[in-house]
Amino acid sequence: MPQLNRKDLIGFMHGHVDALAASDPERVPVHGFVKFTTQTKELPLGEGVWRKKIVRVPGGQYFADPLTGQVCHFNAIKIDGESALIWIRLKIGDAKIAEIETLIVPENKFMFNAAVAGEPRSIWTDVLPESERRPREELLRVMNLYMEGIEQGT
């Protein structure tokens, strides 16, 4: 199967968020087994956040990586009538979703600012000149160090 491009990956995310807002996991094109987590807990698809009333807020940030077939979305939402931030990561394989990871941060918690969550930020979308880019392997190494620090509390 050919590699999906940024537009294709974001299309998968739009479909997923639409299905989530409709509380209809049957609309999500998934592999026979999809790894689904909400708040870092693995659950059956249709549980957890799927049982909440989600109202989409226009805008948001999209981060697509065609090389790995993954896309992330960050935005403000209303969940059961309350403002919150949502972060979703999808991994796509063979034109179906293989992994869904969802984190929700309620209002008045760490990093909450719904007023600006959906506004585009050039720091996330501008393409750096090649001379200023770091190799992919170095970015992955630094990211893994960060995640290991969180896991180990260092």
Side-chain angles (χ1 to χ4, degrees), residues 5-24 27-29 50 54 56-64 70-75 86 88-90 92 97 100 118:
N5 62 33
R6 176 178 163 74
K7 182 179 175 186
D8 295 333
L9 291 168
I10 291 173
F12 270 96
M13 183 61 76
H14 283 296
H16 173 74
V17 175
D18 287 345
L20 189 59
S23 298
D24 187 1
R27 292 173 45 181
V28 179
W50 289 93
I54 304 285
R56 294 182 74 172
V57 173
Q61 311 296 325
Y62 294 89
F63 310 95
Q70 296 186 69
V71 60
C72 295
H73 177 57
F74 172 77
N75 200 14
I86 191 166
I88 304 168
R89 180 191 63 85
L90 303 178
I92 314 300
I97 299 173
I100 303 169

Side-chain angles (χ1 to χ4, degrees), residues 28-60:
V28 179
V30 297
H31 282 278
F33 172 79
V34 61
K35 182 178 180 185
F36 170 64
T37 61
T38 297
Q39 306 305 89
T40 72
K41 291 182 176 50
E42 194 165 340
L43 299 170
L45 188 63
E47 297 294 319
V49 68
W50 289 93
R51 295 186 175 238
K52 305 285 185 179
K53 175 152 177 49
I54 304 285
V55 177
R56 294 182 74 172
V57 173

Side-chain angles (χ1 to χ4, degrees), residues 72-85:
C72 295
H73 177 57
F74 172 77
N75 200 14
I77 60 167
K78 292 281 188 177
I79 185 164
D80 291 337
E82 301 293 326
S83 294
L85 295 177

